[in-house]
Amino acid sequence: NGLRPIFVDVDDYYGMDADQVAAILGRNEAAGAPQPVALMPVHLFGQPADARLHDLAHLFGLGVIADSCETMFVPGCAEGDVSCFSTYACHVIQTGVGGVATTDDPALAALIFSYANHGRSGVYTGIDQELGRIEVIDARFQFERVGYSSRATEMEAAIGCAELETHEANIARRREIAGRLTEGLADLPLLLPAVRPGAESAWMMYVVESDERAALVQHLEANGIETRYAVPLTNQPYFRALFGDIERNYPVCARANERAFYVGCHPYMSDADVDAVIASFRSFYRRSA
């Protein structure tokens, strides 16, 4: 879209570092340089990024496009000008694939409808609209921009609506599982996840850091426990092709890329499943002692 990303490091909670953002905006203001047009905080692993990011955006007149895909229903997750939520399998609300974008700006809402409907006029939002209105008739096959086919099917929407009825219980179970994991792993040489002071987490997954990550994830997977690296970005081949070797400029990202991974925290895990995860971690450290 003709925009140039400005990278910043993450903080110890894996969210966009608000201090670095403040420093960049402050330097630009002092130098009379153009400011960014928007912030794109990622509310990762189930908890929101630093709330000061929204304060900075308002102070400097920036838009906020929030990636809240993993942080649905947590306070602070929907404060962006546009906030984006995923309903992919294993998320808090599941429809199989897809997601939801929220905004309280009618102009942005019309733009989102348009992009999701092949770039159609934002006047036309779907086949269930009131019949007979001339604006709707004229807009049905009027395309104003390049768009996408990003609409939920009827079945996916029905599944998502039903999932709304159980989301509180699902998040409560995720938090219970996270507590059990923390209690069972507390004495091991791992950096365990924490919740930012004053914040809450939906515990989308359970992130740990280890100096022995390669061997540890191999051990866990050999015992039937699936793992994921902690969503690296700065070391992705595509980003290196676009921007070069930038990882060295962001030491916390580099540390996470080297050490961090996560295991499941899904509400369908039984207590026996959670105990098996803990036992596998502990057996690794007994073997390597």
Side-chain angles (χ1 to χ4, degrees):
N1 289 301
L3 299 173
R4 179 177 60 86
I6 301 170
F7 296 101
V8 297
D9 211 342
V10 296
D11 58 25
D12 288 334
Y13 301 94
Y14 307 109
M16 180 184 284
D17 190 320
D19 291 331
Q20 290 193 21
V21 172
I24 291 170
L25 299 178
R27 286 196 300 269
N28 288 347
E29 183 176 48
Q35 294 287 13
V37 296
L39 295 182
M40 295 186 68
V42 181
H43 302 322
L44 202 60
F45 304 140
Q47 67 171 309
D50 196 321
R52 292 179 296 160
L53 293 167
H54 293 283
D55 297 334
L56 288 166
H58 293 315
L59 180 63
F60 287 91
L62 313 183
V64 177
I65 305 168
D67 178 345
S68 299
C69 287
E70 300 177 349
T71 316
M72 193 177 283
F73 301 114
V74 175
C77 70
E79 294 184 0
D81 296 288
V82 176
S83 299
C84 307
F85 301 89
S86 174
T87 57
Y88 182 65
C90 297
H91 283 242
V92 176
I93 292 293
Q94 303 170 45
T95 63
V97 295
V100 177
T102 64
T103 181
D104 61 1
D105 184 324
L108 287 176
L111 187 63
I112 291 167
F113 274 123
S114 176
Y115 275 121
N117 284 275
H118 304 286
R120 271 180 170 153
S121 167
V123 172
Y124 181 79
T125 59
I127 61 173
D128 295 323
Q129 273 190 286
E130 181 182 350
L131 299 179
R133 286 179 50 210
I134 188 65
E135 305 97 316
V136 174
I137 295 169
D138 289 344
R140 280 175 183 152
F141 288 100
Q142 188 176 76
F143 298 90
E144 297 179 342
R145 58 187 53 85
V146 174
Y148 308 89
S149 178
S150 299
R151 298 161 295 183
T153 65
E154 294 278 347
M155 180 175 289
E156 289 164 345
I159 293 170
C161 288
E163 286 268 304
L164 288 170
E165 299 176 5
T166 61
H167 80 272
E168 291 179 342
N170 287 342
I171 292 176
R173 177 58 178 164
R174 287 179 181 274
R175 289 170 175 164
E176 181 183 0
I177 292 170
R180 288 174 63 91
L181 289 170
T182 296
E183 182 178 359
L185 304 177
D187 62 331
L188 299 181
L190 298 165
L191 179 62
L192 300 182
V195 177
R196 189 186 306 277
E200 298 180 18
S201 178
W203 290 99
M204 178 66 195
M205 59 277 289
Y206 192 87
V207 187
V208 301
E209 291 191 27
S210 170
D211 289 331
E212 302 176 83
R213 183 179 72 173
L216 177 53
V217 298
Q218 285 287 329
H219 173 82
L220 292 170
E221 300 234 357
N223 284 276
I225 298 166
E226 195 171 0
T227 65
R228 292 282 193 277
Y229 291 161
V231 198
L233 181 70
T234 52
N235 65 349
Q236 288 288 353
Y238 180 64
F239 272 75
R240 284 181 171 171
L242 288 175
F243 306 110
D245 184 10
I246 62 174
E247 185 179 36
R248 70 188 72 178
N249 301 324
Y250 309 102
V252 185
C253 283
R255 186 196 79 198
N257 288 342
E258 181 71 23
R259 292 165 37 92
F261 70 98
Y262 58 83
V263 294
C265 207
H266 195 275
Y268 292 173
M269 290 175 69
S270 67
D271 288 349
D273 293 332
V274 181
D275 290 342
V277 173
I278 294 169
S280 188
F281 270 95
R282 300 193 71 82
S283 67
F284 172 81
Y285 285 103
R286 284 198 300 271
R287 289 174 56 187
S288 60

